[in-house]
């Protein structure tokens, strides 16, 4: 158990809908990272927050947004969902802001039908 | 652009042998590099971090080398066990984030 929690574990929704994925980092970790993993793309970095502020951005679509709250939990919002958004979404956390030693959650499997 | 390449084919070895996985990077010089293990459907697990001034790092049966001249990191598992079967990901930093390789799938047969 990494100490990172993600909810929900599974999500099935229709195209055009909006969903919110939630992540709670390990106790004491200030950074939260979001990744998308699909079969043909590998692990793709989406965005990082450090102590409430956006720190780094990857190939995150404009339909996706995220935030980190004062209690350090984070939410990833995915809107206008498309079939191609079906993937495993992982959250990871680390103590500092420099991407050292990331601890990953169990992931949320999103299926868009 | 920054590119990470790992052994694209799965690696099959016999229990007790040493597994060696390769990570090559091009177009930049990372200050450090991390290795992660991922089991199917689960989140990656951090294994080791090696810095550019460290030629080698060990943790139990794991050994990582970092050759900045060759732009390559090697990941070794000695006395491999079937429980070591997983996908191993190389992840150097780039642009303030980690860039994960596609991973090498290791299968250790009893």
């Amino acid at each position: 158990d990494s100490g990172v929690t993600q909810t929900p574990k599974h999500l099935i929704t229709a195209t055009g809908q909006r969903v919110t994925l939630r992540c709670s980092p390990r106790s004491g970790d200030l950074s939260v990272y979001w990744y998308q993993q699909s079969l043909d793309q590998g692990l793709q970095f989406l965005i990082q927050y450090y102590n409430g502020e956006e720190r780094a951005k990857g190939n995150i679509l404009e339909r996706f947004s995220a935030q980190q709250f004062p209690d350090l939990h984070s939410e990833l919002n995915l809107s206008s969902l498309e079939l191609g958004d079906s993937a495993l979404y992982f959250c990871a956390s680390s103590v500092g802001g420099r991407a050292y030693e990331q601890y990953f959650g169990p992931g949320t499997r999103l299926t868009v039908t | 652009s920054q590119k990470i390449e790992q052994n694209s084919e799965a690696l099959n070895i016999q229990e007790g042998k040493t597994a060696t996985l390769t990570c090559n990077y091009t177009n930049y010089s990372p200050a450090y590099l991390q290795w992660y293990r991922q089991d199917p459907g689960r989140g990656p697990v951090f294994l080791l971090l090696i810095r550019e001034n460290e030629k080698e790092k060990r943790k139990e049966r794991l050994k990582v080398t970092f050759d900045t001249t060759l732009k390559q990191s090697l990941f070794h598992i000695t006395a491999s066990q079937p429980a070591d079967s997983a996908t191993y990901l190389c992840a150097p930093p780039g642009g303030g984030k980690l860039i994960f390789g596609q991973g090498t799938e290791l299968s250790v047969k009893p």
Side-chain angles (χ1 to χ4, degrees):
Chain A
D1 183 0
S2 67
V4 177
T5 59
Q6 288 187 249
T7 56
K9 287 187 99 167
H10 302 276
L11 203 47
I12 301 174
T13 189
T15 54
Q17 295 299 304
R18 172 190 167 96
V19 296
T20 297
L21 312 184
R22 184 188 166 101
C23 168
S24 292
R26 288 188 322 160
S27 177
D29 284 359
L30 297 179
S31 272
V32 168
Y33 311 80
W34 285 98
Y35 292 87
Q36 179 191 59
Q37 188 172 42
S38 50
L39 281 173
D40 57 345
Q41 288 288 324
L43 201 59
Q44 299 292 315
F45 169 74
L46 296 177
I47 198 163
Q48 177 199 358
Y49 280 83
Y50 175 72
N51 205 19
E53 300 288 327
E54 183 183 304
R55 174 64 72 99
K57 212 165 185 175
N59 298 324
I60 187 166
L61 299 171
E62 283 193 14
R63 301 184 284 110
F64 296 1
S65 65
Q67 55 184 321
Q68 186 179 30
F69 295 87
D71 67 352
L72 300 178
H73 91 271
S74 178
E75 291 181 357
L76 178 67
N77 299 296
L78 315 176
S79 61
S80 302
L81 285 167
E82 302 175 359
L83 294 177
D85 297 328
S86 296
L88 260 173
Y89 290 84
F90 290 108
C91 164
S93 71
S94 67
V95 171
R98 295 190 62 190
Y100 293 157
E101 290 192 45
Q102 295 186 23
Y103 292 85
F104 283 75
T108 292
R109 182 174 293 280
L110 174 66
T111 303
V112 182
T113 61
Chain B
S1 63
Q2 299 156 344
K3 194 174 174 185
I4 312 302
E5 288 185 359
Q6 296 188 244
N7 314 55
S8 55
E9 296 179 12
L11 185 61
N12 297 304
I13 65 168
Q14 207 64 34
E15 183 175 7
K17 301 291 187 186
T18 295
T20 298
L21 286 65
T22 304
C23 174
N24 295 300
Y25 54 91
T26 53
N27 297 330
Y28 77 125
S29 300
Y32 63 90
L33 189 146
Q34 303 183 42
W35 284 88
Y36 288 77
R37 168 188 172 138
Q38 186 173 27
D39 292 283
R42 306 190 70 164
V45 175
F46 171 77
L47 296 175
L48 281 165
L49 181 153
I50 185 166
R51 300 179 192 279
E52 60 181 343
N53 61 347
E54 299 174 311
K55 295 299 179 192
E56 179 181 298
K57 199 154 191 180
R58 293 176 186 260
K59 178 183 175 183
E60 298 172 355
R61 294 184 296 109
L62 309 180
K63 184 178 88 171
V64 172
T65 63
F66 194 8
D67 190 324
T68 55
T69 302
L70 292 178
K71 291 187 179 292
Q72 180 182 80
S73 176
L74 297 179
F75 178 84
H76 307 270
I77 306 176
T78 57
S80 60
Q81 304 165 1
D84 295 326
S85 298
T87 295
Y88 291 85
L89 303 165
C90 156
K97 57 186 186 291
L98 285 184
I99 303 174
F100 280 87
Q102 286 289 99
T104 297
E105 187 178 345
L106 173 67
S107 178
V108 181
K109 303 294 183 190

